């Protein structure tokens, strides 16, 4: 029999997180600080709207790019929260932010085009670039810069084949953000070198102490940027699978084409629920943000007390402490911690090689759970220091 | 900050000053002082525990919600009559309300008879009380923002996700 598989697909490395998931799953009564999704339930009024749409029999396809009402609400929301002005025709509603990343890359890349990916980062950018026949080029972000992308790092990575830069901020796994002045430096290079940006802003609502700035809101950047956002993190709607992309109409039109053939349309029930989220969900977002902020401070303070130094993350719901002093790899540390104290955290290497020496700890957990987990981590670390 | 602190302990009064200091990024002493002030100002009035008494077998208690129509008294409005009612130990809550009645009195008794006796012997005879309407609680679903019925919520998320 012939080999049924595509070489390109077979050569893609499986996600590093998968391996760790398998180990954790076999461990009974482990406490996990390993998830990348909110612990809150979707606010009831949003769920109720989804149920109501089902009761009314709204169970058909929507138009390919998404419900008209939803696209309108998205444009109003982006204006209100990110100072971004889009026409509803520049919006594509997708199956989660993940689909928007995939479709965006496929719409923009020709074989051999290079895509710059700052690491550590979310696990899907690299394989999505490969699947779109692009060439992923990683940029190692540094702890001393609080995992921001600097102008020099960007310049050093650019070649004549470079076409797209992925901007994953606020960042999973580091919790790092890019402030306006950081973005201005980047925008300057992007314009000068005639590049495009795919800006994954899925954590835009979860910044602490300052509002998120979208790179697309800087002068000259809107026509070069695809903004990706969604409902999973801000409204605790991960399972609804709903995100969106906004950008120049010529790019969005091509993205709609791929989306139309691959997906048809995003789930109708989720779209109705999302309309309610955007219309009446601001207070829910604020309340969740405040809860995350309290947990964030709790976690950072305790980790520093324990002797696991970490910079203060200003976004998302992760902290990224350094464990280099303990003489173990991230993988060894995480595995031993799991075996000895039954606490699951994710080795930084799951998010790129430069995550070596770090761990991702999620604070999408109640303070009570964080307390128990941190008590156990403290015992573990004390044992190591003896 | 005070409001945020209050919201945090409103949901969970077991948080220690050490935990709160880490959550809010201030010292433990500052938290202790702030809570003391709030207690002195009677902003924080107590630290009761939310108990689902229906699950306590030996405890056969009955709750009634009594709507009360009263005549307000000159110079004192409803406050005086409300006070005469809320001083009874059996009375759990008293609210002044808009609508067809003036006061809502929530009463906890050992039996329906005890509550009936309270209404007929203590409440109705009060001079300012014009009429009452007693509603017995059949089942409690939610109190203080927390559901009392339904299954214990489990964390259904996968243990590790990207």
């Amino acid at each position: 029999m012939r080999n049924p598989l595509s070489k390109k697909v077979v050569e893609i490395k499986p996600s590093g997180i998968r391996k760790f998931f398998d180990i954790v799953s076999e461990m009974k009564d482990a406490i996990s600080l390993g998830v990348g999704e909110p612990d809150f339930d979707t606010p009831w009024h949003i769920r109720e709207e989804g149920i109501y749409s089902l009761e009314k029999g709204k169970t058909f396809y929507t138009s390919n790019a998404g419900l008209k009402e939803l696209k309108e609400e998205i444009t109003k929301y982006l204006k209100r929260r990110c100072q971004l002005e889009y026409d509803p025709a520049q919006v594509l509603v997708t199956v989660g932010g993940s689909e928007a990343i995939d479709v965006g890359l496929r719409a923009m890349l020709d074989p051999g085009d290079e895509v710059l990916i700052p690491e550590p980062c979310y696990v899907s950018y690299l394989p999505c670039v490969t699947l779109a026949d692009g060439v992923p080029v990683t940029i190692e972000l540094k702890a001393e810069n609080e995992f921001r992308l600097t102008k020099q790092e960007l310049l050093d990575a650019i070649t004549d084949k470079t076409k797209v830069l992925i901007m994953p901020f606020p960042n999973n796994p580091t919790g790092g953000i890019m402030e306006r002045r950081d973005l201005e430096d980047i925008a300057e290079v992007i314009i000068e070198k005639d590049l495009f940006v795919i800006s994954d802003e899925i954590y835009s609502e979860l910044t602490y102490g300052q509002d998120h700035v979208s790179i697309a809101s800087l002068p000259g950047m809107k026509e070069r940027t695809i903004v990706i956002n969604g409902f999973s993190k801000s409204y605790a709607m991960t399972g609804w699978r709903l995100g969106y992309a906004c950008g120049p109409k010529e790019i969005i039109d091509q993205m709609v084409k791929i989306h139309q053939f691959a997906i048809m349309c995003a789930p109708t029930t989720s779209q109705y629920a999302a309309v309610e989220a955007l219309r009446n969900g601001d207070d829910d977002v604020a309340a969740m943000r405040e809860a995350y902020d309290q947990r964030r401070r709790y976690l950072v303070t305790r980790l520093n007390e324990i002797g696991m130094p970490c910079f203060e993350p200003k976004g998302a719901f992760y902290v990224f402490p350094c464990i280099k002093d303990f003489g173990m790899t991230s993988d060894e540390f995480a595995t031993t911690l799991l075996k000895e104290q039954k606490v699951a955290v994710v080795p930084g290497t799951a998010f790129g090689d430069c995550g070596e020496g770090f761990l991702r700890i999620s604070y999408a957990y109640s303070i009570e759970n964080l307390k128990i987990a941190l008590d156990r981590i403290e015992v573990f670390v004390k044992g190591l220091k003896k | 900050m005070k409001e945020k602190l209050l919201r945090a302990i409103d949901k969970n009064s077991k948080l220690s000053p050490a935990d709160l200091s880490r959550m809010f990024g201030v010292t433990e002493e500052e938290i202790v002082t702030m809570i003391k002030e709030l207690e002195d100002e009677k902003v924080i009035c107590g630290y009761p525990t939310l108990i689902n008494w229906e699950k306590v077998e030996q405890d056969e208690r009955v709750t009634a919600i009594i709507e009360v129509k009263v005549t307000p008294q000159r110079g004192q409005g409803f406050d005086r009559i409300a006070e005469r009612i809320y001083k009874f130990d059996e009375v759990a809550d008293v609210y002044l309300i808009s609508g067809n009645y003036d006061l809502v009195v929530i009463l906890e008794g050992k039996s329906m008879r005890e509550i009936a006796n309270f209404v007929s012997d203590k409440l109705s005879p009060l001079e300012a009380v014009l009429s009452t309407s007693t509603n017995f609680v059949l089942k409690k679903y939610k109190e203080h923002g927390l559901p009392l019925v339904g299954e214990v919520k489990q964390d259904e998320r996968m243990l590790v996700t990207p």
Side-chain angles (χ1 to χ4, degrees):
Chain A
M1 200 168 70
R2 293 167 60 189
N3 180 359
L5 301 172
S6 142
K7 225 187 259 167
K8 185 170 80 180
V9 174
V10 172
E11 279 171 8
I12 290 175
K13 267 201 311 188
S15 158
I17 233 164
R18 182 74 224 176
K19 186 188 113 197
F20 206 69
F21 175 79
D22 293 338
I23 308 174
V24 179
S25 306
E26 282 173 23
M27 184 81 74
K28 287 213 176 85
D29 57 84
I31 297 185
S32 175
L33 299 184
V35 304
E37 62 176 323
D39 57 319
F40 300 103
D41 292 332
T42 306
W44 176 249
H45 67 104
I46 298 171
R47 283 189 271 164
E48 208 272 340
E49 200 60 34
I51 296 167
Y52 185 55
S53 80
L54 290 173
E55 281 177 355
K56 282 193 296 185
K58 307 229 176 206
T59 55
F60 303 100
Y61 295 129
T62 67
S63 67
N64 295 131
L67 270 181
K68 187 164 164 278
E69 293 148 85
L70 178 57
K71 289 192 292 176
E72 279 168 7
E73 288 302 329
I74 289 169
T75 59
K76 285 186 206 161
Y77 166 85
L78 288 175
K79 195 171 170 198
R80 176 169 89 233
R81 295 290 298 159
C82 301
Q83 290 76 50
L84 286 171
E85 294 212 27
Y86 287 107
D87 187 84
Q90 294 175 282
V91 181
L92 166 63
V93 179
T94 56
V95 181
S98 330
E99 193 219 342
I101 294 162
D102 178 35
V103 173
L105 288 165
R106 283 202 270 165
M108 293 168 80
L109 298 183
D110 279 318
D113 285 343
E114 290 181 357
V115 178
L116 302 180
I117 305 172
E119 279 189 336
C121 71
Y122 181 63
V123 297
S124 86
Y125 306 125
L126 217 129
C128 281
V129 170
T130 307
L131 287 169
D133 292 323
V135 179
V137 176
T138 57
I139 303 177
E140 292 194 1
L141 301 187
K142 300 201 173 57
E144 65 255 36
N145 299 327
E146 302 192 337
F147 296 101
R148 292 160 202 259
L149 174 64
T150 66
K151 188 175 178 176
Q152 195 54 50
E153 288 167 337
L154 176 59
L155 282 168
D156 291 347
I158 293 173
T159 70
D160 14 325
K161 296 214 177 78
T162 308
K163 185 165 187 190
V164 176
L165 165 69
I166 290 179
M167 284 288 279
F169 297 98
N171 184 271
N172 171 12
T174 66
I177 62 164
M178 292 282 282
E179 289 176 74
R180 184 177 294 277
R181 58 171 190 280
D182 307 317
L183 292 172
E184 279 166 355
D185 285 352
I186 301 302
E188 205 178 297
V189 179
I190 295 294
I191 293 167
E192 192 196 308
K193 302 280 181 185
D194 192 17
L195 305 178
F196 298 92
V197 172
I198 293 181
S199 184
D200 182 352
E201 303 179 14
I202 193 79
Y203 291 97
S204 66
E205 284 289 359
L206 302 179
T207 59
Y208 312 102
Q210 61 230 286
D211 280 341
H212 168 74
V213 182
S214 172
I215 192 165
S217 69
L218 302 183
M221 284 307 294
K222 207 174 107 178
E223 42 277 74
R224 297 182 169 275
T225 307
I226 298 289
V227 173
I228 292 173
N229 211 322
F231 300 86
S232 297
K233 317 293 176 176
S234 39
Y235 298 94
M237 290 178 73
T238 44
W240 300 76
R241 305 311 305 126
L242 205 66
Y244 54 88
C246 300
K249 190 156 181 308
E250 54 168 349
I251 306 178
I252 294 291
D253 282 349
Q254 297 307 314
M255 289 172 68
V256 172
K257 197 158 80 185
I258 305 169
H259 171 81
Q260 158 192 344
F261 292 130
I263 304 277
M264 190 77 189
C265 70
T268 304
T269 313
S270 305
Q271 293 193 56
Y272 279 102
V275 171
E276 169 65 18
L278 291 174
R279 282 187 185 152
N280 298 309
D282 286 6
D283 290 348
D284 303 302
V285 175
M288 289 189 267
R289 184 190 303 121
E290 174 59 25
Y292 288 129
D293 196 12
Q294 290 171 12
R295 300 162 179 189
R296 178 182 72 101
R297 281 186 296 239
Y298 178 84
L299 203 51
V300 171
T301 314
R302 279 212 65 184
L303 286 171
N304 283 315
E305 285 167 5
I306 289 171
M308 291 172 76
C310 57
F311 82 100
E312 188 195 342
K314 303 225 172 71
F317 39 60
Y318 310 102
V319 295
F320 206 59
C322 176
I323 49 133
K324 288 178 181 163
D325 288 349
F326 299 104
M328 279 191 240
T329 65
S330 299
D331 213 70
E332 286 164 354
F333 191 101
T335 314
T336 326
L337 173 64
L338 181 62
K339 275 196 197 130
E340 289 186 8
Q341 289 295 329
K342 299 192 172 180
V343 179
V345 297
V346 184
T349 40
F351 307 95
D353 293 342
C354 63
E356 184 55 82
F358 297 89
L359 301 171
R360 188 193 74 174
I361 300 185
S362 161
Y363 49 90
Y365 297 91
S366 68
I367 287 278
E368 291 75 18
N369 278 334
L370 290 177
K371 251 170 95 165
I372 301 169
L374 266 288
D375 288 348
R376 293 191 188 182
I377 293 177
E378 188 169 6
V379 172
F380 180 72
V381 168
K382 269 188 188 151
L384 291 180
K385 282 186 173 166
K386 263 176 201 162
Chain B
M1 162 80 198
K2 264 189 188 174
E3 197 205 336
K4 284 179 178 172
L5 174 71
L6 287 168
R7 277 183 205 284
I9 58 177
D10 182 36
K11 284 271 172 275
N12 183 359
S13 59
K14 283 171 83 178
L15 290 169
S16 68
D19 296 336
L20 291 165
S21 88
R22 294 184 184 112
M23 287 163 67
F24 288 96
V26 297
T27 64
E28 227 174 298
E29 293 73 46
E30 284 174 89
I31 294 283
V32 172
T33 315
M34 209 178 292
I35 289 179
K36 177 77 172 54
E37 276 169 23
L38 289 162
E39 286 168 352
D40 290 346
E41 292 160 8
K42 284 275 171 200
V43 176
I44 296 173
C45 303
Y47 298 90
T49 308
L50 182 59
I51 296 167
N52 186 354
W53 285 104
E54 282 172 31
K55 290 200 168 169
V56 183
E57 277 174 20
Q58 297 85 344
D59 192 273
E60 289 287 335
R61 71 176 61 198
V62 179
T63 306
I65 297 170
I66 305 165
E67 296 159 308
V68 187
K69 213 176 263 185
V70 298
T71 340
Q73 279 150 310
R74 191 178 178 127
Q76 281 151 329
F78 292 99
D79 293 352
R80 194 176 141 79
I81 177 66
E83 186 183 349
R84 288 202 64 179
I85 295 170
Y86 72 63
K87 289 228 160 144
F88 286 108
D89 284 344
E90 304 90 317
V91 172
D93 309 271
V94 177
Y95 305 111
L96 179 66
I97 54 164
S98 62
N100 289 334
Y101 288 84
D102 303 307
L103 296 174
V104 165
V105 176
I106 297 175
L107 207 60
E108 299 226 316
K110 288 200 190 73
S111 63
M112 277 169 77
R113 171 159 303 278
E114 195 180 289
I115 286 178
N117 287 345
F118 178 84
V119 175
S120 59
D121 298 349
K122 311 260 172 66
L123 193 57
S124 296
L126 289 172
E127 212 176 307
V129 172
L130 298 174
S131 69
T132 63
S133 163
T134 302
N135 309 278
F136 286 101
V137 170
L138 303 180
K139 185 171 181 180
K140 289 183 182 178
Y141 291 96
K142 191 175 181 183
E143 271 189 14
H144 203 81
L146 296 167
L148 300 175
V149 292
E151 290 160 25
V152 179
K153 182 106 175 73
Q154 301 287 343
D155 191 345
E156 288 177 21
R157 293 176 292 171
M158 292 194 295
L159 287 169
V160 179
T161 50

